[in-house]
Amino acid sequence: MTTLTVDLGERSYPIYIGDALLGQADLLKQHIPGNSALIVSNETVAPLYLEKTRSMLSGLRNEAVILPDGEKYKNLEVLNQIYDGLLRNRFDRNTTVIALGGGVVGDMAGFAAASYQRGVHLVQIPTTLLSQVDSSVGGKTGVNHALGKNMIGAFYQPKAVIADTDTLDTLPDRELSAGIAEVIKYGLICNADFFNWLEQNMQRLLERDKQALSHAIEVSCQTKADVVAADERESGKRALLNLGHTFGHAIENGMGYGEWLHGEAVGAGMCMAAIMSNHMGWMNDSEKHRTIELIAQAKLPTRAPASMSPEKFLDLMSVDKKVLDGVLRLVLMKGIGKSVVTDDYTLDNLTTAIELSTSA
Ligand SMILES: NC(=O)c1ccc[n+]([C@@H]2O[C@H](COP(=O)([O-])OP(=O)(O)OC[C@H]3O[C@@H](n4cnc5c(N)ncnc54)[C@H](O)[C@@H]3O)[C@@H](O)[C@H]2O)c1
Ligand SMILES: [Zn+2]
């Protein structure tokens, strides 16, 4: 097992990464200050891992709330089921909410913990690769509103994150690849050595080799933890984590939410960022090809959907929440491992890049 620390002063917390962590009672119990806990999971994950999680809570009063599975249930109405569970059991301010599941469960349980009685303790047990390398770290929590994704939420840090690589054995292939997109992102943002390692080890990740997965999760979490420690509330550096995301969100939205997985859209979005960076002379041909090749190796899409015109992209991108003062800032690359947040490009650069990305 490896332990990383997210360094946020007195709110610092550990991330445990390794196999066979579920079932190790002490690991969880030391982060539960009171004598009660509410596990929040969903209909898919609970049959797989709820009993094991409960077995770590012996001696504590513990209950579970099982939510329906899916992004479409990440809303205020379903969130109420968590408050109902907390209130029905008369759980007090010293209780702990345990999020057991992917990013949807983590975001919802996290927001419930942030808001129930003005804040109770939170432990994240992420069970998808995406949630292990991304959503469980950094403290963003929330739900969707009919008028916008993740529009209701709070920054709220957990007491601990327990990332058990064994849970990834049951993850569908497509979800695994979607998580790998975020892993590749960390290499492209600031770690060329890690990018090289991924080029050598992609097959091991796809085969769910535990050592390779642990290493990839460690480097990813460390990178995110460093960025978050430097800029918890996304005023500057944290925006680098949006590499591929402005393009990706346009694809997710333009194709209709649910068609493309988030990670798939981010994969294609990172290819678009590479193509635009190359077109502007910031990234050389070889690095652009290596980027696209690695994303293809991860079984992710590398092209923007042909059905999306540049006009549609621009339209969808200008409503992106990363629009600051009317200027659309993008994350582009000055090479592998050298991403920058910039508005130093022309509309023509952007339009051409979109055209290049969609043409076969
Ligand atoms: N808070 C953040 O910083 C942050 C960052 C990135 C993404 N997110 C959010 O995370 C969500 C996406 O997370 P996700 O990709 O984990 O999706 P998800 O939570 O929907 O999980 C994907 C699917 O895998 C299933 N699943 C989960 N663990 C499993 C396991 N071990 N075995 C088998 N099936 C399993 C889930 O039930 C679901 O059907 C989005 O709502 C997104 O907004 C938040
Ligand atoms: Zn993402």
Side-chain angles (χ1 to χ4, degrees), residues 344-356:
D344 182 17
Y345 63 87
T346 64
L347 185 62
D348 188 52
N349 293 149
L350 177 57
T351 313
T352 309
I354 295 168
E355 279 164 359
L356 288 170

Side-chain angles (χ1 to χ4, degrees), residues 57-79:
L57 296 168
S58 60
L60 299 177
R61 203 154 76 82
N62 66 88
E63 300 291 339
V65 168
I66 310 302
L67 306 175
D69 183 4
E71 179 77 28
K72 69 169 185 280
Y73 299 109
K74 188 176 154 182
N75 58 37
L76 284 170
E77 198 188 330
V78 178
L79 182 72

Side-chain angles (χ1 to χ4, degrees), residues 130 134 182 185 241 243 245 249 262-263 266:
L130 184 132
D134 191 352
E182 305 282 359
K185 180 185 81 177
L241 298 172
L243 175 66
H245 280 61
H249 287 151
H262 171 73
V266 170

